[in-house]
Structure formats: C-alpha cells, structure tokens
Amino acid sequence: MSLARLVRTTNPYVVDAAITVFVLIAVSVPFVLPGPGGEPGPLAYLLTAGTAVPLIWRRRVPLTVLLVVALATIAGKAADAPG
C-alpha cells in the first residue's frame, strides 16, 4: 500500500495527530541539540511548541490555528527562540 493511499484511508484525526507529533519533534531539535548560542529557556520552548501543537485542530478550526501559529511564531522570534 502506498503512503498516499494509507493517508487517504486513515482517520483524518490520526493523520493530524501524526503531523503534529512530527512537527513538534522537528521544532524540538534545537532544544535537544543547542547551538553555540547556548541553551534556550522554557519560554522559548513553549513559544516554539505553540507553533506545532495547534496543528492537531487544523481541520476543525483552520483560521484559528493559522492565527495561533502566526502569533506564536512572531512571539518566538521576539523572544529569540530558535526555529
């Protein structure tokens, strides 16, 4: 079975959860392997996670998710969070 067919036949909420977990792991890499600038703090991680966690609701309230992710991204950049 191809990946595209598997995604089409799987429960959409399971697909959203998988996307959320994948993105959360991807944005967490700079916190696990910090660069030369030092370790970012917990606020930076919360703001960075705020760009991934709302994706679980992307099918139900897409505009709200877009706004939350955009605001978390802007706040994260203002707080000098990696990612």
Side-chain angles (χ1 to χ4, degrees):
M1 183 183 307
S2 72
L3 180 61
R5 183 177 174 152
L6 178 66
V7 169
R8 280 194 307 268
T9 59
T10 303
N11 182 333
Y13 297 116
V14 172
V15 174
D16 288 350
I19 290 169
T20 301
V21 168
F22 178 77
V23 172
L24 187 58
I25 290 170
V27 299
S28 297
V29 169
F31 296 93
V32 176
L33 305 169
E39 287 191 30
L43 176 63
Y45 183 74
L46 287 174
L47 292 171
T48 303
T51 64
V53 173
L55 294 176
I56 200 150
W57 295 287
R58 71 186 185 92
R59 290 181 201 262
R60 288 171 256 176
V61 285
L63 185 58
T64 304
V65 169
L66 174 69
L67 293 173
V68 169
V69 169
L71 290 174
T73 301
I74 292 167
K77 291 302 174 189
D80 202 26

